[in-house]
Amino acid sequence: MLAELPQPQNLTLLTLNTQYVLTWDWDQTTTGNSVSFTVEYMAKYKMKMKKKNWSRVCERTTRTRCDLTGSDLHYLGMYVLRVRASADGVDSDWVNKDFCPDIDASLGPPSRAELAPVGNLLDVTISDPLTSTQHSMKEHVLFLYYRILYWSRSDDPQGLKPKVLDSSNNLVTPPELEAWAWYCVMIQSRYDYYNKTSSYTEPQCMQTEGDTPYGQIFLYFLVSMMVCFLLVLLSSYAFFRFYRGLKNTFYPSIQLPAHIQEYLCDSSPGSDMPRLITADSEAELCCDKLTICPEVVLLEIHVPPPLTAPPSELEQDSGRHIRQDSGDSGIYSTEGGSAQQGRSGGEPIRRDQEVDSWQTLEQVKMEEMGRELADERDLDEGVVDVCV
Amino acid sequence: MLPAPTNVSIVSFNLEHTLTWLPGPETPDNTHFTVQSLRKNSWQLVKGCARLKTRQSCDLTNTFKDPFYHYKARVQAITTTQKSNRSLSMLFYPLTDTLLGPPVVSVSGCGNCPLLQVTPPTSRGLQRSLSPTQLYYRQFTCKVRRTRDGSQFSMWVTSTEKTVIGYLEPGAEYCVTVTPSTSFNPHSVPSEPHCAFTSPTAANTVPVVLSVLCAFSLLVVLLCGIVVYSGRLLCMHKPLPKTLSSVPLCGG
């Protein structure tokens, strides 16, 4: 009866660091679905003892695998594992398998690898592979070391000819790297005593740093020099323009003719001279009256005006105006004067002709002004009265 | 009846053992203490520890000779008329209980790869028994710490041979702390950190280049100034040809 049930076949261990999973093959066609398996283990040295106490790991499991990770097998210990199948109250024979984690368990790659640029070199920080309890595998595999493959991405994009470096240190700075170059790194855990090698970590790439290239320094220098030069040039130009403007305003290089300057400078209140600059505002007030000029044309309709001033006075009045305004170089002021004269005079037809003649007259007067200065001094006050 | 001594303990450093205790409360001043050790199932008086005063301790180095054996000691207070009960120490295993002192470390430079040499400390207890010395100080955990950023790693170092600490950053300071490491004795004292610089990197040339550039451009400006100025001077001093002298040329 016992031999009827076949044994599990092909006992295999799937291992990584301290994780151990025992698997086996089972032909489902030989029995129904009700088959179950039992897995036990024992330290190998106890096999010779008379009284054997097997530790049971998986009892009557229906799966064809059993996790031994939680059994806390000593990494350097030697064990015997055994499996049997059970179906319908019938057990198969045990199938034994020797297992020593130190020999059989495969080694995992580093749990983490980090790259950090240090000048023109790279710091490779390697974290040990971890056991199932998150401890370093170096506790079990004392002489664990790493093989670091590194290559420049620009010279060798595929990493076909990497440089190889072996070190058991967790912080490795590969020598002789170039500045400002991308390097890729792959790391493998190794243990020589049992020729264990892990898979490589995924390639990680990082750019090195380093001194700034001379070309770049020169470029920056030139650019900054140009900028400085332009700034200085612009600011000095602006300053020069400003200075010249100021100078031209307050200290013009071309001096006014002496006779004009006399007017400008002589501003003593008591003087009889016409103060050209100070009298400006009053002259402008007179100018406003220019706009009234066309209205005078309307006044033309009301002929004859009732008011008629003595013509002799008017003539004198207008004459004074002309002379005073000519200094201001304004025809308008002249016209203003004429308008006033025309309105008060009440002779509009003759007025137009008078304006023309005054305009020509004015030029003459300007030339004559120097000569007439003495006369105008007498007339000045009268003009002011009229304007206001 | 005298009060019995308390806190009987064996302090051991590098296989040099000392028995210490405290006198019981209200112990008279003229009390003496006597120490016995268990040897071959019989208590024997420890040499030199027959009549110890209150604050004295008993040197057991010569008594607990075999580091692989286990020992016990007991203390009794005695006056001329009275005796106390005997106070027993804990069972003492020299091999595993002794505190391992720091090894002697020397770090010598070899460019970017400091050479580390670790030798066992010299101690009276260790000198006598050679085998535990080899056991204790055969392997060391060596912590290498970079001073710049405090990043560190550990490595295994075996005694008697020089170990190269490879692949370090150039121009950085590294400090090495070595601790004896055995599987059977967890009590150990790390050595003082021994620091060494790796060979320096090439100096940063950027400031040099920049200052050279600055100096050069200054020189150029100066030269230009000199040329212009001297040109003016020459113009003023050299008599112009008669045809040109009529033209107002320089600063005319």
Side-chain angles (χ1 to χ4, degrees):
Chain A
M1 277 297 281
L2 281 172
E4 274 181 22
L5 200 65
Q7 293 171 319
Q9 302 291 315
N10 296 332
L11 267 64
T12 345
L13 277 149
L14 305 175
T15 54
L16 182 71
N17 297 331
T18 62
Q19 289 168 294
Y20 323 115
V21 176
L22 182 70
T23 64
W24 56 87
D25 292 343
W26 180 255
D27 189 4
Q28 284 286 345
T29 53
T30 52
T31 55
N33 292 330
S34 58
V35 71
S36 64
F37 305 96
T38 302
V39 179
E40 292 177 344
Y41 75 93
M42 187 173 67
K44 196 172 183 183
Y45 72 92
K46 289 182 182 170
M47 289 292 281
K48 291 169 188 165
M49 293 179 177
K50 281 181 183 170
K51 186 175 177 257
K52 299 182 177 64
N53 51 336
W54 292 86
S55 308
R56 194 156 283 188
V57 196
C58 300
E59 190 161 12
R60 301 202 173 273
T61 174
T62 50
R63 302 167 69 194
T64 59
R65 55 184 288 146
C66 179
D67 193 349
L68 295 150
T69 308
S71 307
D72 198 23
L73 303 182
H74 196 282
Y75 197 76
L76 302 175
M78 297 183 81
Y79 296 91
V80 178
L81 315 177
R82 64 178 192 179
V83 188
R84 74 172 178 196
S86 313
D88 307 322
V90 181
D91 297 329
S92 74
D93 284 339
W94 290 100
V95 188
N96 286 12
K97 183 169 177 62
D98 286 359
F99 176 57
C100 172
D102 193 30
I103 301 167
D104 301 322
S106 58
L107 199 59
S111 58
R112 210 170 48 155
E114 282 176 4
L115 301 180
V118 181
N120 60 343
L121 297 175
L122 284 179
D123 261 357
V124 183
T125 310
I126 306 163
S127 302
D128 295 330
L130 297 176
T131 65
S132 52
T133 51
Q134 304 299 310
H135 287 92
S136 166
M137 272 305 282
K138 275 186 176 170
E139 290 174 15
H140 299 306
V141 186
L142 211 63
F143 296 101
L144 181 84
Y145 69 96
Y146 303 106
R147 174 154 291 178
I148 301 165
L149 302 186
Y150 61 102
W151 65 93
S152 166
R153 205 162 70 175
S154 54
D155 298 345
D156 183 13
Q158 305 296 316
L160 298 173
K161 289 177 186 171
K163 291 180 187 166
V164 182
L165 183 156
D166 287 345
S167 174
S168 62
N169 299 348
N170 293 82
L171 178 64
V172 177
T173 311
E176 289 164 15
L177 302 188
E178 284 168 25
W180 305 108
W182 280 89
Y183 283 92
C184 296
V185 173
M186 283 198 320
I187 304 163
Q188 181 190 46
S189 313
R190 293 170 79 93
Y191 175 37
D192 280 347
Y193 193 80
Y194 289 113
N195 279 330
K196 285 188 190 181
T197 53
S198 78
S199 57
Y200 278 99
T201 56
E202 285 293 305
Q204 279 177 282
C205 299
M206 179 64 72
Q207 193 184 21
T208 56
E209 290 169 359
D211 292 345
T212 322
Y214 292 136
Q216 217 170 332
I217 294 173
F218 192 69
L219 194 79
Y220 287 157
F221 183 78
L222 270 187
V223 166
S224 52
M225 207 163 72
M226 286 300 289
V227 167
C228 276
F229 181 71
L230 281 177
L231 272 178
V232 167
L233 207 73
L234 266 176
S235 56
S236 52
Y237 178 71
F239 175 75
F240 180 68
R241 282 296 296 268
F242 180 67
Y243 173 74
R244 217 170 58 173
L246 274 183
K247 197 184 168 190
N248 283 351
T249 312
F250 293 111
Y251 306 100
S253 55
I254 300 164
Q255 293 296 320
L256 282 173
H259 56 270
I260 297 178
Q261 212 158 10
E262 252 179 289
Y263 284 102
L264 287 171
C265 296
D266 190 6
S267 55
S268 51
S271 96
D272 291 340
M273 262 218 238
R275 274 160 289 166
L276 292 176
I277 290 172
T278 47
D280 251 0
S281 52
E282 288 160 11
E284 287 303 315
L285 279 174
C286 293
C287 288
D288 285 346
K289 287 170 185 168
L290 160 77
T291 52
I292 304 162
C293 191
E295 287 171 24
V296 176
V297 181
L298 289 172
L299 284 171
E300 220 179 318
I301 303 162
H302 307 286
V303 181
L307 286 167
T308 44
S312 60
E313 272 185 25
L314 281 168
E315 286 295 335
Q316 212 178 12
D317 221 346
S318 67
R320 277 179 228 146
H321 255 295
I322 294 153
R323 275 182 236 115
Q324 189 254 323
D325 288 335
S326 61
D328 199 28
S329 78
I331 293 165
Y332 303 118
S333 7
T334 317
E335 279 181 344
S338 73
Q340 208 173 26
Q341 189 264 339
R343 200 172 10 162
S344 53
E347 290 166 330
I349 300 159
R350 218 184 67 195
R351 191 193 53 85
D352 284 338
Q353 292 164 351
E354 271 177 5
V355 167
D356 290 334
S357 65
W358 284 336
Q359 279 175 2
T360 50
L361 195 80
E362 181 202 347
Q363 289 167 349
V364 179
K365 293 266 171 159
M366 275 180 80
E367 287 163 13
E368 288 170 356
M369 210 146 55
R371 274 175 276 152
E372 285 181 313
L373 276 173
D375 302 332
E376 273 185 317
R377 243 174 234 167
D378 305 329
L379 299 168
D380 189 36
E381 284 188 321
V383 172
V384 172
D385 289 342
V386 171
C387 280
V388 172
Chain B
M1 193 73 171
L2 279 171
T6 55
N7 283 2
V8 180
S9 60
I10 297 165
V11 179
S12 178
F13 181 78
N14 277 346
L15 293 174
E16 288 175 21
H17 324 296
T18 310
L19 186 76
T20 60
W21 64 89
L22 291 173
E26 295 165 33
T27 305
D29 285 344
N30 60 345
T31 311
H32 287 98
F33 297 90
T34 178
V35 180
Q36 290 180 319
S37 70
L38 188 65
R39 197 185 293 175
K40 290 170 187 169
N41 294 321
S42 68
W43 289 99
Q44 296 185 356
L45 197 71
V46 175
K47 229 184 227 175
C49 301
R51 282 177 68 83
L52 294 174
K53 286 176 185 163
T54 308
R55 286 199 172 75
Q56 284 183 310
S57 58
C58 176
D59 186 3
L60 293 167
T61 311
N62 293 325
T63 313
F64 298 173
K65 276 180 186 167
D66 187 357
F68 299 96
Y69 196 65
H70 54 271
Y71 297 94
K72 254 184 185 179
R74 61 182 188 182
V75 188
Q76 189 179 29
I78 303 169
T79 58
T80 44
T81 52
Q82 287 177 303
K83 283 184 179 179
S84 75
N85 283 333
R86 293 189 170 94
S87 302
L88 212 63
S89 76
M90 297 283 284
L91 198 61
F92 175 70
Y93 297 89
L95 186 73
T96 57
D97 291 349
T98 194
L99 180 65
L100 299 176
V104 179
V105 179
S106 77
V107 181
S108 51
C110 91
N112 285 340
C113 42
L115 275 174
L116 186 67
Q117 170 94 61
V118 187
T119 41
T122 46
S123 141
R124 191 163 51 100
L126 289 171
Q127 270 169 347
R128 197 210 341 273
S129 43
L130 273 172
S131 52
T133 308
Q134 283 165 6
L135 277 173
Y136 289 142
Y137 296 100
R138 210 174 64 174
Q139 281 204 336
F140 304 90
T141 313
C142 172
K143 275 210 168 91
V144 184
R145 183 175 186 277
R146 184 161 63 193
T147 313
R148 178 169 63 80
D149 58 350
S151 57
Q152 61 177 18
F153 61 90
S154 296
M155 56 188 288
W156 285 97
V157 177
T158 44
S159 181
T160 69
E161 59 185 87
K162 285 192 173 181
T163 310
V164 174
I165 310 173
Y167 309 118
L168 301 182
E169 183 197 336
E173 191 189 33
Y174 285 87
C175 291
V176 180
T177 315
V178 184
T179 316
S181 171
T182 58
S183 53
F184 48 84
N185 189 325
H187 319 289
S188 56
V189 178
S191 73
E192 288 290 303
H194 285 69
C195 299
F197 272 96
T198 51
S199 66
T201 42
N204 194 354
T205 48
V206 173
V208 179
V209 170
L210 266 182
S211 38
V212 164
L213 269 176
C214 282
F216 183 72
S217 41
L218 260 178
L219 213 77
V220 165
V221 167
L222 256 173
L223 266 175
C224 284
I226 286 170
V227 164
V228 168
Y229 186 65
S230 62
R232 280 190 169 211
L233 285 181
L234 281 176
C235 268
M236 280 166 88
H237 288 301
K238 260 189 189 169
L240 284 168
K242 277 181 184 171
T243 44
L244 284 178
S245 59
S246 58
V247 182
L249 195 70
C250 303

